Amino acid sequence: MFSGLSAFPLTPMNERGLDEAAFVRLIERLVTANVDSIGVLGSTGNYAYLTMVERARVVRLAVEHAGNVPVVVGIGALRTRDVLALAKDAEIAGVSGVLMAPMSYQKLRPEEVLGLYEAVTHALLVPLCVYDNPGTTQFVFSDELHGQIAQLPNVASIKIPGVPEDPVAARSRVERLRAQIPLHVTVGVSGDGYAANGLNAGCDAWYSVIGGVFPVTALAITRAAQAGNAKEAIRLSERLQPLWQLFSEYGGSLRVVAAAAELQGLVEHPCLPLPLKALAGEGRRRLRELIDELDLS
C-alpha cells in the first residue's frame, strides 16, 4: 500500500456539489490500470474545500468502487477534534490507511505538530502516512521531527516533497531521512517532476498527481525504477518535461490535471471549487497538444 504508485485522483465538483459519477469513473479507471494504491482527498482531491459530510461520502464511494486496490484517505483538518472524527469515519468506511498533513491557519510549532500526530496515531486502527507538504501547510518538517513521529504507533510511511535533481544529492537526502526512521516506515516522493529521481534514489513510493489522471503513464515510470532501470525511468520522466513546465507556470499541478481530466472527457467543466479554476486559454491549448503528442494515458 505504501510502495509503488499511489495515484491521487481529483474530487470533481462544482458549486452545486460533488460530481459523484465522475469521481467513480476516475476510481474505476485507476483500478483498471492496476495502480498500487489510490489516495483520495489529498491536495489534488481538494479535501480542504469539502464539508465533513462531503468528505465522508467521497471516502465511501472510493472504497465501494476500488475493488482490491487499497484506498488511503486524507484526514487533515484545522482542529485535532475534526481529524479524529475523520479518521474514525474513514476506518468505519473500510479504508486501508490514512494520510495526514499538519493543516493550519495559524502557523504551527514543531511541538504542536508532534502533539497532533501523537493524538491521532494513538487513536488509529489503520496505518498512517505523514503528509509533508510545505507548499500548502507552510510547515517545514525537520528530519529529526520526522524521526520522532515515525516512532509513534501506526505510522507506516512519510510522503516527502521533491528530491534534488542531482542523483547523488537525491540519494543523500533519502538516506539522511532513513537514518532517522524505523525500517518498517517507507519513504514516498511527491512532486511529479521529481518522482523518477526520488524512486531511483531509494524512495519506496510515488504519491502521484498525474497518476490520478494518467495512470498508465505514471506506472511506466514507476515500474522502470522498481526494476532497477534508472535510465529508462529518467527518460520517461524527461519526456514529460513540457508537462512539468506547465505545472511550474500555473502555480502547481492541480489546475493542469483538472484541465487534463476535462479535455479527456473524464469530468465535466467546471470540476474545481471556486475560486479555483482549471487551466484555460493558451495554457489549455498547450496542454491539449501535449496530451496528443505524448500519448498520455
Side-chain angles (χ1 to χ4, degrees):
M1 175 171 53
F2 294 119
S3 63
L5 178 69
S6 187
F8 281 65
L10 294 160
T11 307
M13 68 185 81
N14 54 42
E15 297 313 292
R16 297 187 302 275
L18 300 172
D19 186 343
E20 295 187 4
F23 180 70
V24 168
R25 283 197 297 272
L26 291 173
I27 296 296
E28 291 178 341
R29 177 180 167 91
L30 301 180
V31 173
T32 299
N34 200 28
V35 300
D36 296 300
S37 65
I38 298 173
V40 299
L41 296 179
S43 295
T44 306
N46 289 315
Y47 71 97
Y49 295 87
L50 297 173
T51 67
M52 300 280 280
V53 172
E54 288 172 325
R55 291 174 69 166
R57 179 60 178 159
V58 168
V59 173
R60 282 162 174 75
L61 286 171
V63 172
E64 179 181 347
H65 292 275
N68 294 323
V69 179
V71 173
V72 180
V73 58
I75 58 170
L78 291 175
R79 294 189 63 177
T80 301
R81 173 199 66 188
D82 294 336
V83 176
L84 292 170
L86 289 163
K88 182 57 64 179
D89 187 78
E91 289 173 343
I92 293 171
V95 303
S96 297
V98 295
L99 171 79
M100 187 177 76
M103 188 179 177
S104 68
Y105 178 78
Q106 298 292 340
K107 187 173 181 179
L108 295 173
R109 297 174 59 84
E111 61 269 25
E112 293 170 330
V113 171
L114 179 59
L116 168 65
Y117 282 95
E118 286 175 336
V120 174
T121 56
H122 282 87
L124 277 176
L125 300 175
V126 296
L128 176 140
C129 176
V130 177
Y131 189 4
D132 182 352
N133 188 0
T136 59
T137 65
Q138 308 306 310
F139 181 82
V140 178
F141 283 86
S142 66
D143 286 351
E144 291 74 20
L145 180 58
H146 271 313
Q148 291 177 286
I149 292 171
Q151 302 292 335
L152 297 172
N154 296 307
V155 174
S157 187
I158 299 173
K159 178 181 185 288
I160 63 171
V163 298
E165 289 187 15
D166 177 72
V168 174
R171 184 165 293 277
S172 176
R173 192 272 169 275
V174 174
E175 289 176 350
R176 286 197 307 273
L177 177 56
R178 286 203 184 278
Q180 299 284 338
I181 63 178
L183 291 175
H184 72 273
V185 176
T186 69
V187 176
V189 64
S190 60
D192 285 0
Y194 303 95
N197 277 341
L199 292 168
N200 289 339
C203 288
D204 305 283
W206 174 13
Y207 296 109
S208 174
V209 173
I210 68 162
V213 69
F214 301 126
V216 174
T217 299
L219 277 166
I221 296 172
T222 305
R223 299 297 184 243
Q226 288 179 316
N229 194 342
K231 288 185 179 179
E232 178 65 3
I234 293 297
R235 184 190 72 81
L236 291 171
S237 178
E238 288 181 344
R239 179 173 172 269
L240 302 179
Q241 185 58 43
L243 184 61
W244 310 147
Q245 182 62 35
L246 281 179
F247 286 5
S248 177
E249 288 181 28
Y250 290 94
S253 58
L254 176 61
R255 296 170 180 85
V256 179
V257 296
E262 292 175 357
L263 287 169
Q264 294 183 102
L266 298 172
V267 302
E268 294 184 0
H269 174 79
C271 69
L272 294 179
L274 291 174
L276 297 176
K277 293 183 180 180
L279 200 61
E282 173 64 14
R284 194 179 185 94
R285 183 194 64 77
R286 288 167 56 195
L287 177 61
R288 181 185 292 108
E289 292 177 352
L290 282 176
I291 291 172
D292 293 335
E293 290 172 7
L294 300 176
D295 191 26
L296 297 176
S297 58

Short mmCIF file of all heavy atoms in Angstrom, two decimals, residues 15-58:
data_model
loop_
_atom_site.label_atom_id
_atom_site.label_comp_id
_atom_site.label_asym_id
_atom_site.label_seq_id
_atom_site.Cartn_x
_atom_site.Cartn_y
_atom_site.Cartn_z
N GLU A 15 -20.27 24.21 -7.88
CA GLU A 15 -20.90 24.91 -6.77
C GLU A 15 -22.22 24.29 -6.35
O GLU A 15 -22.80 24.67 -5.34
CB GLU A 15 -21.08 26.39 -7.12
CG GLU A 15 -19.76 27.12 -7.35
CD GLU A 15 -18.71 26.83 -6.27
OE1 GLU A 15 -18.90 27.27 -5.12
OE2 GLU A 15 -17.72 26.13 -6.57
N ARG A 16 -22.69 23.31 -7.09
CA ARG A 16 -23.90 22.58 -6.69
C ARG A 16 -23.59 21.36 -5.84
O ARG A 16 -24.46 20.84 -5.17
CB ARG A 16 -24.69 22.15 -7.93
CG ARG A 16 -25.20 23.30 -8.78
CD ARG A 16 -26.11 22.81 -9.90
NE ARG A 16 -25.41 21.86 -10.76
CZ ARG A 16 -24.63 22.19 -11.78
NH1 ARG A 16 -24.42 23.48 -12.06
NH2 ARG A 16 -24.07 21.28 -12.54
N GLY A 17 -22.34 20.90 -5.90
CA GLY A 17 -21.97 19.75 -5.09
C GLY A 17 -20.98 18.84 -5.79
O GLY A 17 -20.36 19.21 -6.80
N LEU A 18 -20.82 17.64 -5.26
CA LEU A 18 -19.91 16.65 -5.80
C LEU A 18 -20.46 16.07 -7.10
O LEU A 18 -21.66 15.86 -7.23
CB LEU A 18 -19.70 15.51 -4.81
CG LEU A 18 -19.13 15.86 -3.43
CD1 LEU A 18 -19.19 14.64 -2.52
CD2 LEU A 18 -17.69 16.35 -3.57
N ASP A 19 -19.55 15.78 -8.02
CA ASP A 19 -19.92 15.03 -9.22
C ASP A 19 -19.55 13.57 -8.95
O ASP A 19 -18.46 13.11 -9.30
CB ASP A 19 -19.17 15.57 -10.44
CG ASP A 19 -19.64 14.93 -11.74
OD1 ASP A 19 -20.27 13.86 -11.69
OD2 ASP A 19 -19.34 15.50 -12.81
N GLU A 20 -20.48 12.86 -8.34
CA GLU A 20 -20.19 11.51 -7.89
C GLU A 20 -19.92 10.56 -9.05
O GLU A 20 -19.04 9.70 -8.97
CB GLU A 20 -21.34 10.98 -7.02
CG GLU A 20 -21.50 11.75 -5.72
CD GLU A 20 -22.53 11.12 -4.79
OE1 GLU A 20 -23.07 10.04 -5.14
OE2 GLU A 20 -22.79 11.69 -3.71
N ALA A 21 -20.66 10.71 -10.13
CA ALA A 21 -20.47 9.82 -11.28
C ALA A 21 -19.06 9.98 -11.86
O ALA A 21 -18.41 8.98 -12.20
CB ALA A 21 -21.53 10.10 -12.33
N ALA A 22 -18.59 11.21 -11.96
CA ALA A 22 -17.25 11.45 -12.50
C ALA A 22 -16.19 10.91 -11.55
O ALA A 22 -15.18 10.33 -11.99
CB ALA A 22 -17.03 12.94 -12.74
N PHE A 23 -16.40 11.08 -10.25
CA PHE A 23 -15.43 10.56 -9.28
C PHE A 23 -15.33 9.05 -9.39
O PHE A 23 -14.22 8.48 -9.38
CB PHE A 23 -15.84 10.97 -7.86
CG PHE A 23 -14.89 10.47 -6.80
CD1 PHE A 23 -13.61 10.99 -6.68
CD2 PHE A 23 -15.29 9.47 -5.92
CE1 PHE A 23 -12.74 10.52 -5.72
CE2 PHE A 23 -14.43 9.00 -4.95
CZ PHE A 23 -13.15 9.53 -4.84
N VAL A 24 -16.46 8.38 -9.50
CA VAL A 24 -16.45 6.92 -9.63
C VAL A 24 -15.72 6.50 -10.90
O VAL A 24 -14.96 5.53 -10.91
CB VAL A 24 -17.89 6.37 -9.60
CG1 VAL A 24 -17.92 4.90 -10.02
CG2 VAL A 24 -18.50 6.54 -8.21
N ARG A 25 -15.91 7.23 -11.99
CA ARG A 25 -15.20 6.92 -13.24
C ARG A 25 -13.69 7.00 -13.04
O ARG A 25 -12.94 6.15 -13.53
CB ARG A 25 -15.62 7.88 -14.36
CG ARG A 25 -16.96 7.58 -14.98
CD ARG A 25 -17.12 8.28 -16.33
NE ARG A 25 -17.08 9.74 -16.21
CZ ARG A 25 -18.14 10.49 -15.97
NH1 ARG A 25 -19.33 9.93 -15.80
NH2 ARG A 25 -18.03 11.80 -15.92
N LEU A 26 -13.25 8.03 -12.32
CA LEU A 26 -11.81 8.17 -12.07
C LEU A 26 -11.28 7.01 -11.24
O LEU A 26 -10.20 6.47 -11.51
CB LEU A 26 -11.54 9.50 -11.35
CG LEU A 26 -11.76 10.77 -12.18
CD1 LEU A 26 -11.61 12.00 -11.29
CD2 LEU A 26 -10.80 10.84 -13.36
N ILE A 27 -12.03 6.62 -10.21
CA ILE A 27 -11.60 5.50 -9.37
C ILE A 27 -11.53 4.21 -10.19
O ILE A 27 -10.54 3.45 -10.12
CB ILE A 27 -12.56 5.32 -8.17
CG1 ILE A 27 -12.51 6.54 -7.24
CG2 ILE A 27 -12.23 4.05 -7.40
CD1 ILE A 27 -11.18 6.77 -6.57
N GLU A 28 -12.55 3.94 -10.96
CA GLU A 28 -12.58 2.70 -11.74
C GLU A 28 -11.48 2.68 -12.80
O GLU A 28 -10.93 1.62 -13.12
CB GLU A 28 -13.96 2.55 -12.38
CG GLU A 28 -15.05 2.26 -11.34
CD GLU A 28 -16.45 2.15 -11.94
OE1 GLU A 28 -16.64 2.65 -13.08
OE2 GLU A 28 -17.33 1.59 -11.27
N ARG A 29 -11.14 3.85 -13.33
CA ARG A 29 -10.04 3.95 -14.29
C ARG A 29 -8.72 3.54 -13.63
O ARG A 29 -7.89 2.85 -14.25
CB ARG A 29 -9.98 5.38 -14.80
CG ARG A 29 -8.86 5.74 -15.77
CD ARG A 29 -9.01 7.21 -16.13
NE ARG A 29 -7.86 7.77 -16.81
CZ ARG A 29 -7.72 7.80 -18.13
NH1 ARG A 29 -8.65 7.27 -18.90
NH2 ARG A 29 -6.66 8.36 -18.68
N LEU A 30 -8.52 3.93 -12.38
CA LEU A 30 -7.30 3.57 -11.66
C LEU A 30 -7.26 2.09 -11.33
O LEU A 30 -6.19 1.46 -11.36
CB LEU A 30 -7.19 4.41 -10.38
CG LEU A 30 -7.15 5.93 -10.58
CD1 LEU A 30 -7.03 6.64 -9.24
CD2 LEU A 30 -6.00 6.32 -11.51
N VAL A 31 -8.40 1.54 -11.00
CA VAL A 31 -8.47 0.10 -10.73
C VAL A 31 -8.11 -0.68 -12.00
O VAL A 31 -7.34 -1.64 -11.95
CB VAL A 31 -9.88 -0.29 -10.24
CG1 VAL A 31 -10.02 -1.81 -10.13
CG2 VAL A 31 -10.17 0.37 -8.89
N THR A 32 -8.66 -0.27 -13.12
CA THR A 32 -8.36 -0.94 -14.40
C THR A 32 -6.88 -0.87 -14.73
O THR A 32 -6.30 -1.83 -15.25
CB THR A 32 -9.19 -0.30 -15.53
OG1 THR A 32 -10.58 -0.45 -15.23
CG2 THR A 32 -8.88 -0.94 -16.87
N ALA A 33 -6.25 0.26 -14.43
CA ALA A 33 -4.82 0.42 -14.70
C ALA A 33 -3.95 -0.38 -13.75
O ALA A 33 -2.76 -0.57 -14.00
CB ALA A 33 -4.45 1.90 -14.61
N ASN A 34 -4.53 -0.86 -12.64
CA ASN A 34 -3.82 -1.67 -11.65
C ASN A 34 -2.75 -0.87 -10.90
O ASN A 34 -1.61 -1.32 -10.71
CB ASN A 34 -3.19 -2.91 -12.30
CG ASN A 34 -2.87 -3.99 -11.28
OD1 ASN A 34 -3.52 -4.09 -10.23
ND2 ASN A 34 -1.86 -4.80 -11.57
N VAL A 35 -3.12 0.33 -10.46
CA VAL A 35 -2.22 1.10 -9.60
C VAL A 35 -2.06 0.37 -8.26
O VAL A 35 -2.86 -0.50 -7.91
CB VAL A 35 -2.74 2.53 -9.37
CG1 VAL A 35 -2.86 3.27 -10.70
CG2 VAL A 35 -4.07 2.52 -8.63
N ASP A 36 -1.02 0.72 -7.51
CA ASP A 36 -0.75 0.02 -6.26
C ASP A 36 -1.63 0.48 -5.11
O ASP A 36 -1.93 -0.28 -4.20
CB ASP A 36 0.73 0.18 -5.89
CG ASP A 36 1.64 -0.47 -6.92
OD1 ASP A 36 1.52 -1.69 -7.13
OD2 ASP A 36 2.43 0.25 -7.54
N SER A 37 -2.03 1.74 -5.13
CA SER A 37 -3.00 2.25 -4.16
C SER A 37 -3.62 3.51 -4.72
O SER A 37 -3.12 4.10 -5.69
CB SER A 37 -2.34 2.54 -2.79
OG SER A 37 -1.39 3.58 -2.89
N ILE A 38 -4.74 3.91 -4.12
CA ILE A 38 -5.46 5.11 -4.53
C ILE A 38 -5.51 6.05 -3.34
O ILE A 38 -5.95 5.67 -2.25
CB ILE A 38 -6.89 4.77 -4.99
CG1 ILE A 38 -6.85 3.84 -6.21
CG2 ILE A 38 -7.68 6.04 -5.30
CD1 ILE A 38 -8.20 3.31 -6.63
N GLY A 39 -5.04 7.28 -3.54
CA GLY A 39 -5.03 8.28 -2.47
C GLY A 39 -6.13 9.31 -2.70
O GLY A 39 -5.99 10.18 -3.58
N VAL A 40 -7.20 9.22 -1.97
CA VAL A 40 -8.30 10.17 -2.14
C VAL A 40 -8.21 11.26 -1.07
O VAL A 40 -7.68 11.05 0.02
CB VAL A 40 -9.68 9.49 -2.10
CG1 VAL A 40 -9.79 8.47 -3.21
CG2 VAL A 40 -9.94 8.83 -0.76
N LEU A 41 -8.75 12.42 -1.42
CA LEU A 41 -8.79 13.57 -0.51
C LEU A 41 -7.40 14.01 -0.07
O LEU A 41 -7.18 14.39 1.08
CB LEU A 41 -9.69 13.27 0.70
CG LEU A 41 -11.17 13.03 0.37
CD1 LEU A 41 -11.95 12.73 1.65
CD2 LEU A 41 -11.77 14.23 -0.34
N GLY A 42 -6.46 13.96 -1.02
CA GLY A 42 -5.22 14.68 -0.83
C GLY A 42 -5.39 16.10 -1.36
O GLY A 42 -6.51 16.57 -1.56
N SER A 43 -4.30 16.78 -1.61
CA SER A 43 -4.42 18.14 -2.14
C SER A 43 -5.09 18.15 -3.50
O SER A 43 -5.92 19.02 -3.80
CB SER A 43 -3.03 18.78 -2.24
OG SER A 43 -2.46 18.94 -0.95
N THR A 44 -4.77 17.16 -4.36
CA THR A 44 -5.43 17.06 -5.64
C THR A 44 -6.92 16.76 -5.48
O THR A 44 -7.74 17.15 -6.32
CB THR A 44 -4.76 15.95 -6.49
OG1 THR A 44 -3.36 16.22 -6.57
CG2 THR A 44 -5.34 15.90 -7.89
N GLY A 45 -7.27 16.09 -4.39
CA GLY A 45 -8.66 15.80 -4.09
C GLY A 45 -9.39 16.91 -3.39
O GLY A 45 -10.57 16.76 -3.01
N ASN A 46 -8.71 18.06 -3.19
CA ASN A 46 -9.35 19.27 -2.66
C ASN A 46 -10.05 19.06 -1.31
O ASN A 46 -11.14 19.59 -1.06
CB ASN A 46 -10.35 19.83 -3.68
CG ASN A 46 -9.67 20.45 -4.87
OD1 ASN A 46 -8.72 21.20 -4.73
ND2 ASN A 46 -10.13 20.13 -6.06
N TYR A 47 -9.41 18.29 -0.43
CA TYR A 47 -10.05 17.99 0.85
C TYR A 47 -10.37 19.25 1.65
O TYR A 47 -11.38 19.29 2.37
CB TYR A 47 -9.17 17.04 1.67
CG TYR A 47 -7.90 17.64 2.23
CD1 TYR A 47 -7.84 18.10 3.55
CD2 TYR A 47 -6.73 17.71 1.47
CE1 TYR A 47 -6.67 18.62 4.07
CE2 TYR A 47 -5.56 18.23 1.99
CZ TYR A 47 -5.53 18.69 3.30
OH TYR A 47 -4.37 19.22 3.82
N ALA A 48 -9.55 20.27 1.53
CA ALA A 48 -9.74 21.47 2.33
C ALA A 48 -10.99 22.25 1.94
O ALA A 48 -11.45 23.11 2.70
CB ALA A 48 -8.52 22.38 2.22
N TYR A 49 -11.56 21.94 0.78
CA TYR A 49 -12.73 22.68 0.28
C TYR A 49 -14.04 21.96 0.53
O TYR A 49 -15.10 22.44 0.11
CB TYR A 49 -12.57 22.94 -1.22
CG TYR A 49 -11.41 23.84 -1.56
CD1 TYR A 49 -10.12 23.32 -1.74
CD2 TYR A 49 -11.57 25.21 -1.70
CE1 TYR A 49 -9.05 24.14 -2.04
CE2 TYR A 49 -10.51 26.04 -2.01
CZ TYR A 49 -9.24 25.50 -2.18
OH TYR A 49 -8.18 26.31 -2.47
N LEU A 50 -14.00 20.81 1.19
CA LEU A 50 -15.18 19.99 1.37
C LEU A 50 -15.67 20.00 2.81
O LEU A 50 -14.88 20.14 3.75
CB LEU A 50 -14.88 18.54 0.96
CG LEU A 50 -14.50 18.33 -0.50
CD1 LEU A 50 -14.05 16.89 -0.73
CD2 LEU A 50 -15.65 18.68 -1.42
N THR A 51 -16.97 19.82 2.98
CA THR A 51 -17.53 19.67 4.32
C THR A 51 -17.21 18.28 4.85
O THR A 51 -16.82 17.37 4.10
CB THR A 51 -19.05 19.86 4.31
OG1 THR A 51 -19.64 18.76 3.58
CG2 THR A 51 -19.44 21.18 3.65
N MET A 52 -17.42 18.09 6.14
CA MET A 52 -17.20 16.78 6.74
C MET A 52 -18.12 15.75 6.09
O MET A 52 -17.71 14.61 5.83
CB MET A 52 -17.45 16.85 8.25
CG MET A 52 -16.56 17.81 9.00
SD MET A 52 -14.92 17.17 9.36
CE MET A 52 -15.25 16.13 10.79
N VAL A 53 -19.35 16.13 5.81
CA VAL A 53 -20.31 15.20 5.19
C VAL A 53 -19.86 14.83 3.78
O VAL A 53 -19.92 13.66 3.37
CB VAL A 53 -21.72 15.82 5.17
CG1 VAL A 53 -22.67 14.96 4.35
CG2 VAL A 53 -22.24 15.98 6.59
N GLU A 54 -19.41 15.81 3.01
CA GLU A 54 -18.93 15.54 1.66
C GLU A 54 -17.71 14.64 1.68
O GLU A 54 -17.58 13.71 0.85
CB GLU A 54 -18.61 16.85 0.94
CG GLU A 54 -19.84 17.67 0.56
CD GLU A 54 -19.48 19.03 0.04
OE1 GLU A 54 -18.49 19.63 0.52
OE2 GLU A 54 -20.21 19.55 -0.83
N ARG A 55 -16.82 14.87 2.61
CA ARG A 55 -15.63 14.04 2.70
C ARG A 55 -16.00 12.60 3.03
O ARG A 55 -15.45 11.65 2.46
CB ARG A 55 -14.66 14.61 3.74
CG ARG A 55 -14.04 15.92 3.29
CD ARG A 55 -13.20 16.59 4.35
NE ARG A 55 -11.97 15.86 4.62
CZ ARG A 55 -10.94 16.37 5.30
NH1 ARG A 55 -11.01 17.62 5.76
NH2 ARG A 55 -9.87 15.66 5.50
N ALA A 56 -16.95 12.41 3.93
CA ALA A 56 -17.40 11.06 4.27
C ALA A 56 -17.98 10.36 3.05
O ALA A 56 -17.74 9.16 2.82
CB ALA A 56 -18.42 11.12 5.39
N ARG A 57 -18.72 11.09 2.24
CA ARG A 57 -19.32 10.50 1.04
C ARG A 57 -18.25 10.09 0.04
O ARG A 57 -18.32 9.01 -0.56
CB ARG A 57 -20.29 11.51 0.42
CG ARG A 57 -20.96 11.03 -0.86
CD ARG A 57 -21.78 9.77 -0.64
NE ARG A 57 -22.45 9.34 -1.86
CZ ARG A 57 -22.90 8.11 -2.05
NH1 ARG A 57 -22.74 7.17 -1.12
NH2 ARG A 57 -23.49 7.79 -3.19
N VAL A 58 -17.25 10.92 -0.16
CA VAL A 58 -16.16 10.61 -1.08
C VAL A 58 -15.44 9.34 -0.65
O VAL A 58 -15.12 8.46 -1.47
CB VAL A 58 -15.17 11.79 -1.17
CG1 VAL A 58 -13.88 11.38 -1.89
CG2 VAL A 58 -15.81 12.97 -1.90
#
